[in-house]
Amino acid sequence: MALATFRTKQNETAFEADIETPLATVFEAEPEVRRDRYNLATALGIIRRMETSSARSAVFAEIKNKNPVYRLVDTLYAKAGYGFLQPLVLFIYMLKSVLSLGKFDYSGHEAVAISNFQNEHNAINRLVALLPGTRVMMLSPKLCNLFSRDQLRTTISMIGAAPRVFPFLSRLARSYGFMPSARMASGLAYYIRFSQLLARHPGMSAAIVASNYSPEALGLSAAAHNKNRKVVYVNHAPVPANGAMVPPVLADCAVFYGNATRSTYERESRCNAEVALIGQPGTARPMEWRDEIRTLGIFLTALTCAKSVEKLVTTISESRPGLQILIRNHPVALLKSDFSDLAAKHKNVKITIGNPLEDEIAACDLILCGNSGVAMNVLREGRPVAYLDSLDKLNHDYCGFIQSRLVCDVKNWSGDLYPMIKAFYTRPDWQRVMKDYDASYNSDISQLEYMAAQTILRYVSSKPDRG
């Protein structure tokens, strides 16, 4: 009897808002285009469009190819059949998602922030540092939290929710593969858990997110708007201007590196937020030019073309045998490429993963990369970067850096590459383009940060709207 009473109270907390109605609209063609704010259907619709895009499907295929655990899970899921077992797997994934957040601290926070990967952590930490004296509950999904104490209440709450979410999970299983279904299911799980948090924390006025497409960020954003809280979004990387999908920014306040980000959202999608510009993180340095290249960096991203990298290294080593080559893997370990044979064959090659980005930029005289936002970091750190689209399988100029003339486009390695790149970055209009992407470039970043802080505080320090 006590357990039933406890479960009922937990369910009332989890489902103060109706979920069946928004869940029923998720499978419409474009559920988010009619919205000016986040809600549950909007959040799940964005996740669906992102996770079923060709680029994301290719990334998941790469992860399965490189990771036997993901490959096994996907195979077993496909064989389970969508009658009962697949929805059950998706529900277990939901439970894993909410338990990974750990126990919430309900003591006097003014805002809650969620981040997952290192660049998201950096973006959130940078924003929170602009708000001294503001108490922000900092959350991050971690596997170690699955085994932390005091998780029983959360587990019972989610189990009590099962009858209301299973019809949705069953339809997911019938409609999509494992990864899109799991990501949408986790978005629902985060929405439920964050609704609980905000219901029990009436003094919390805002949610801070560093993604406009991840399940955890959209789950929090939808719960916040449903509870009449504000949403503050800060971009953790450049938005790909030529990506298959540019998710909208339906936050109340958005903090961008520069006007190029704002323009991309307004042109390719939507941005309803009041915008503050903050510039790229770190210290901007003037471009440095050397008498000759001694160390060349090859910085990789997702969907790396290993054969192209191997061919490039062979060509460079034959033409410049004394040139040191630093290959930086994508920092997400699941996307790491194995180039151990290449390093064994060429003694001038060094392979790294996860080292501080600033240190590896500083170690190079010139950097080659494919479709990666790391190009902006390289330019801010004062090193020339060249785009070589054969390094990955994404569409040419996925980020839009070539069409805007921010980054130099090259076709292959040649002896006259360095002078050509120098001419590109010393042209009269390049610094104007760079400033469009990075508002703090050659500017007083302290003034930008002050103005951004004043804008953010209007949302984070405001009282929750009870209307």
Side-chain angles (χ1 to χ4, degrees):
M1 180 69 179
L3 177 59
T5 302
F6 176 68
R7 179 181 299 175
T8 300
K9 290 181 178 179
Q10 289 294 83
N11 287 347
E12 289 173 354
T13 303
F15 295 111
E16 286 185 9
D18 172 53
I19 65 165
E20 278 87 350
T21 299
L23 287 180
T25 67
V26 169
F27 296 91
E28 295 177 7
E30 303 288 347
E32 74 273 13
V33 299
R34 300 189 301 273
R35 300 293 304 179
D36 294 324
R37 286 161 60 86
Y38 290 109
N39 69 3
L40 178 57
T42 301
L44 296 183
I46 293 171
I47 296 169
R48 183 196 65 189
R49 287 188 62 201
M50 177 63 73
E51 298 302 327
T52 56
S53 68
S54 58
R56 299 290 283 186
S57 298
V59 169
F60 183 51
E62 181 181 18
I63 291 173
K64 287 191 295 182
N65 183 55
K66 293 179 177 179
N67 189 288
V69 174
Y70 274 78
R71 190 161 58 249
L72 176 63
V73 169
D74 187 67
T75 300
L76 293 177
Y77 178 84
K79 292 181 177 180
Y82 52 72
F84 176 75
L85 289 180
Q86 284 187 351
L88 178 62
V89 170
L90 295 178
F91 183 77
I92 293 171
Y93 195 90
M94 289 180 66
L95 185 61
K96 185 273 295 184
S97 298
V98 296
L99 293 180
S100 70
L101 293 172
K103 182 183 178 182
F104 291 156
D105 176 6
Y106 292 100
S107 58
H109 294 94
E110 296 168 79
V112 55
I114 184 74
S115 57
N116 199 350
F117 299 105
Q118 188 59 50
N119 49 1
E120 293 180 11
H121 301 331
N122 295 341
I124 294 290
N125 290 337
R126 185 185 180 199
L127 187 147
V128 171
L130 299 178
L131 313 173
T134 302
R135 294 199 65 195
V136 179
M137 183 189 300
M138 308 283 277
L139 299 175
S140 178
K142 297 177 181 177
L143 289 178
C144 61
N145 288 331
L146 297 176
F147 309 103
S148 62
R149 297 175 59 186
D150 302 318
Q151 293 278 36
L152 180 61
R153 289 171 63 91
T154 303
T155 302
I156 294 174
S157 173
M158 289 302 298
I159 292 174
R164 299 183 70 179
V165 303
F166 244 77
F168 174 70
L169 299 180
S170 296
R171 188 166 179 184
L172 278 182
R174 293 193 303 270
S175 302
Y176 307 108
F178 172 65
M179 185 51 68
S181 297
R183 297 280 281 179
M184 292 173 70
S186 66
L188 173 59
Y190 287 120
Y191 174 83
I192 293 171
R193 189 71 174 113
F194 286 128
S195 293
Q196 292 176 336
L197 167 65
L198 296 172
R200 298 180 195 172
H201 204 319
M204 187 174 283
S205 61
I208 302 173
V209 297
S211 172
N212 62 335
Y213 56 84
S214 71
E216 60 275 8
L218 287 171
L220 174 56
S221 297
H225 273 171
N226 183 61
K227 297 294 184 183
N228 294 312
R229 307 311 211 277
K230 303 299 183 183
V231 176
V232 177
Y233 165 70
V234 54
N235 68 295
H236 67 272
V239 55
N242 297 320
M245 178 200 175
V246 177
V249 176
L250 306 180
D252 301 282
C253 176
V255 184
F256 295 148
Y257 293 155
N259 274 314
T261 302
R262 184 214 304 253
S263 297
T264 297
Y265 280 122
E266 291 176 346
R267 182 180 66 252
E268 304 294 338
S269 186
R270 236 179 334 146
C271 180
N272 297 337
E274 179 180 2
V275 173
L277 302 180
I278 197 174
Q280 280 261 105
T283 303
R285 295 180 172 85
M287 193 73 75
E288 292 186 19
W289 301 102
R290 308 294 167 79
D291 294 335
E292 64 174 343
I293 306 172
R294 294 185 176 85
T295 300
L296 174 74
I298 302 175
F299 287 12
L300 306 178
T301 186
L303 302 181
T304 292
C305 291
K307 290 184 178 179
S308 294
V309 174
E310 294 167 2
K311 182 178 178 180
L312 176 64
V313 168
T314 299
T315 300
I316 295 171
S317 298
E318 290 175 352
S319 63
R320 290 282 307 276
L323 184 64
Q324 298 299 305
I325 301 174
L326 188 157
I327 299 178
R328 176 183 171 86
N329 263 297
H330 192 290
V332 176
L334 288 174
L335 297 172
K336 176 184 177 182
S337 298
D338 183 6
F339 288 115
S340 54
D341 290 345
L342 188 67
K345 181 179 179 181
H346 300 280
K347 301 305 180 184
N348 59 324
V349 171
K350 179 181 179 182
I351 315 291
T352 69
I353 182 171
N355 291 347
L357 178 59
E358 296 80 5
D359 293 348
E360 299 203 327
I361 292 173
C364 299
D365 304 313
L366 170 66
I367 291 169
L368 302 178
C369 69
N371 292 283
S372 174
V374 76
M376 281 185 61
N377 302 92
V378 175
L379 294 172
R380 184 171 174 83
E381 292 288 332
R383 293 293 190 272
V385 60
Y387 169 71
L388 188 61
D389 74 351
S390 62
L391 292 178
D392 60 51
K393 301 170 188 173
L394 289 166
N395 293 336
H396 177 78
D397 196 23
Y398 185 79
C399 296
F401 294 159
I402 306 306
Q403 67 187 27
S404 63
R405 302 202 73 203
L406 174 71
V407 174
C408 184
D409 184 17
V410 301
K411 304 305 178 186
N412 47 49
W413 172 264
S414 65
D416 61 351
L417 200 62
Y418 199 58
M420 182 190 75
I421 293 171
K422 184 175 182 179
F424 179 90
Y425 289 112
T426 54
R427 70 180 199 276
D429 68 326
W430 181 81
Q431 291 197 21
R432 176 191 58 77
V433 177
M434 180 64 181
K435 193 172 180 63
D436 195 36
Y437 278 89
D438 180 357
S440 65
Y441 193 75
N442 288 344
S443 299
D444 183 358
I445 193 171
S446 61
Q447 180 63 20
L448 269 181
E449 290 178 340
Y450 172 79
M451 295 172 64
Q454 301 311 301
T455 301
I456 299 164
L457 282 169
R458 290 202 296 272
Y459 297 91
V460 172
S461 298
S462 62
K463 297 297 182 183
D465 180 6
R466 300 304 179 192

